[in-house]
Amino acid sequence: MIRLGTHIRLTRTEVDRLFRLTDIEPVGVRTRDDLDAYVARCKAHYWGQSRDTQFLHWLIERERARLDAAA
């Protein structure tokens, strides 16, 4: 993730990684708030209490934290 002040830009690798994980393309992600909204949208799309859903939510959160660490 490239950070320029309050704006961010996901690299092609990061976009591909998020898409492979969620099957939802991160379109229009230009700020951290947009990224948070994208994560919330993905988690809402894959809702439930099953272990698989909990694991997927954990993976999404881990990827979000990885992006923050890279910036």
Side-chain angles (χ1 to χ4, degrees):
M1 178 168 66
I2 300 167
R3 196 167 113 185
L4 302 164
T6 59
H7 291 81
I8 63 170
R9 182 172 184 261
L10 299 175
T11 64
R12 185 77 233 160
T13 303
E14 292 164 341
V15 169
D16 291 343
R17 203 172 156 118
L18 287 168
F19 181 72
R20 269 185 282 147
L21 182 63
T22 63
D23 202 34
I24 300 171
E25 185 123 14
V27 176
V29 175
R30 307 236 189 278
T31 65
R32 287 183 179 220
D33 289 339
D34 294 341
L35 186 57
D36 289 338
Y38 168 76
V39 167
R41 187 170 64 244
C42 291
K43 289 169 103 178
H45 182 76
Y46 298 108
W47 62 274
Q49 295 299 318
S50 72
R51 290 181 64 100
D52 290 339
T53 301
Q54 291 174 3
F55 181 64
L56 180 59
H57 286 198
W58 177 79
L59 286 173
I60 293 168
E61 285 296 328
R62 190 178 82 173
E63 189 63 24
R64 172 66 169 99
R66 193 186 69 73
L67 289 172
D68 274 342

